[in-house]
Amino acid sequence: MYNQKVTALYNEEAYVVENVPDTVDIIITGRKNEIYLAKQLGEFAVELDLSKYTEAGTYKVYYYTPGNTNYNSKSGSVDVTISQKAITIKPKDASKTYDGTALTSNEPEITTGSLVSGHTAEITTSGSLTNIGNVENEILTHVIKNASGNDVTRNYNVTLAKGTLTVTAEGAAKLDITLGTYDKVYDG
């Protein structure tokens, strides 16, 4: 039987599952009447249960198809890779009107990809700006945690990008200059 669909069951925290075939061919052996009967049964379900694999890595997954009086049992294995999920994190851009205090931003923004549901990112940054102008805000440290607060950063392929901090003037500055008079006689 050709092109029998393969279903992979996996944990919601499995990031990118690779090397699982979409279909497989099943070879039925036996007497002619047994083969005929097997073909009449239609499609066979081929299921790989990957739900216990939650970390990025390569795993050998074993399968077993039990036999019965008409069919022999079959077992084997397949190497399955759960790859790191690719994301880009940057500090959220921030701006304010000049007030004499420092502007910072340690709020992460995911600009490419997404976190797995229930995961959060935390960052610390280098940027700080008090006076009028702008400056790049670079990530110094980052960590991604699951809903239980455990560090799962190793399951992500993280690209770090820079943010921008901007301090603007409140409005046009007004400067009044008053010149007094000065009298002097030319003395050469």
Side-chain angles (χ1 to χ4, degrees):
M1 302 193 73
Y2 299 101
N3 297 319
Q4 300 300 302
K5 184 175 167 83
V6 173
T7 303
L9 305 173
Y10 56 93
N11 187 298
E12 65 190 41
E13 292 186 11
Y15 305 96
V16 178
V17 179
E18 298 176 345
N19 301 334
V20 175
D22 293 328
T23 61
V24 294
D25 295 335
I26 298 175
I27 299 172
I28 302 172
T29 58
R31 293 186 300 247
K32 211 179 226 187
N33 62 339
E34 293 168 346
I35 294 172
Y36 174 79
L37 178 61
K39 287 183 178 179
Q40 298 309 309
L41 295 174
E43 291 188 7
F44 289 84
V46 178
E47 199 169 85
L48 291 176
D49 186 358
L50 307 175
S51 60
K52 69 179 183 177
Y53 304 104
T54 61
E55 301 294 323
T58 299
Y59 304 94
K60 186 171 285 296
V61 178
Y62 295 92
Y63 62 87
Y64 175 76
T65 305
N68 61 29
T69 57
N70 297 317
Y71 307 104
N72 294 327
S73 62
K74 179 70 176 164
S75 64
S77 67
V78 62
D79 287 332
V80 174
T81 301
I82 299 176
S83 298
Q84 292 175 313
K85 186 169 186 172
I87 62 168
T88 300
I89 301 176
K90 73 182 267 302
K92 197 167 220 174
D93 292 340
S95 64
K96 71 174 189 171
T97 301
Y98 175 80
D99 64 3
T101 63
L103 173 65
T104 61
S105 175
N106 287 311
E107 184 179 348
E109 180 180 358
I110 309 300
T111 59
T112 304
S114 64
L115 296 175
V116 170
S117 178
H119 288 192
T120 57
E122 298 173 5
I123 61 171
T124 58
T125 60
S126 64
S128 179
L129 183 63
T130 302
N131 294 320
I132 297 169
N134 60 45
V135 66
E136 286 185 338
N137 193 16
E138 193 170 344
I139 295 176
L140 297 175
T141 65
H142 68 281
V143 65
I144 300 169
K145 294 183 178 179
N146 64 15
S148 301
N150 298 318
D151 183 347
V152 293
T153 308
R154 67 192 165 281
N155 293 313
Y156 289 87
N157 179 5
V158 180
T159 300
L160 301 177
K162 296 176 183 176
T164 304
L165 301 174
T166 304
V167 174
T168 58
E170 185 172 343
K174 184 177 179 186
L175 179 61
D176 290 329
I177 299 175
T178 304
L179 299 176
T181 59
Y182 178 70
D183 291 328
K184 179 173 179 170
V185 176
Y186 176 75
D187 59 6

